[in-house]
Amino acid sequence: MTDFVRFLAAWALLHESADEGWKAAIARGRAQSPGDAEAGPDAFVDGLAALVESEKERLKQELAQQGDQGHATRGEDAALAAQVDAVRFELAELRGRIESLQASIDALVAQKGD
């Protein structure tokens, strides 16, 4: 069990270090001017990190907008469900009247037969 916890601790430390390194690369990349990424591999990685971060933020916004549209769809689904329930109620009412009419006709036919 201790090895497993130590493994998770090592993973968390690595993740934390990588996260801090990533954040630093993004900050350096954002501070770059056009053409600075050609200064070497580190500058290229920093510029790329900044570009990836910008794209990630755009993706988050798109997903949030799609989530908002999903709520609208759920609202439309609720309205459609309400309409279906209203139609079901009307059909049940109509069915009840037809059954009542059929019972009356059956009673009239039974009286005429007597």
Side-chain angles (χ1 to χ4, degrees):
M1 182 67 176
T2 304
D3 290 340
F4 179 68
V5 173
R6 187 159 179 88
F7 169 77
L8 290 177
W11 176 83
L13 179 62
L14 177 65
H15 187 272
E16 183 179 288
S17 299
D19 192 40
E20 293 302 318
W22 178 254
K23 289 177 184 175
I26 292 169
R28 287 190 303 267
R30 284 184 176 164
Q32 289 180 349
S33 300
D36 286 352
E38 297 171 7
D42 290 339
F44 175 78
V45 170
D46 293 346
L48 182 61
L51 286 174
V52 170
E53 175 68 12
S54 297
E55 187 62 27
K56 183 192 81 175
E57 292 301 321
R58 273 195 291 275
L59 179 60
K60 285 170 62 177
Q61 289 177 352
E62 287 176 15
L63 292 173
Q65 289 173 350
Q66 289 174 357
D68 291 342
Q69 290 172 353
H71 289 294
T73 300
R74 280 184 228 132
E76 292 172 1
D77 287 347
L80 181 60
Q83 289 177 340
V84 169
D85 285 343
V87 170
R88 282 183 183 154
F89 177 79
E90 292 296 328
L91 286 174
E93 287 285 321
L94 185 58
R95 183 178 179 179
R97 290 181 184 175
I98 290 172
E99 288 175 352
S100 176
L101 183 60
Q102 181 67 43
S104 298
I105 292 171
D106 289 343
L108 288 173
V109 170
Q111 281 182 345
K112 190 174 183 180
D114 290 339

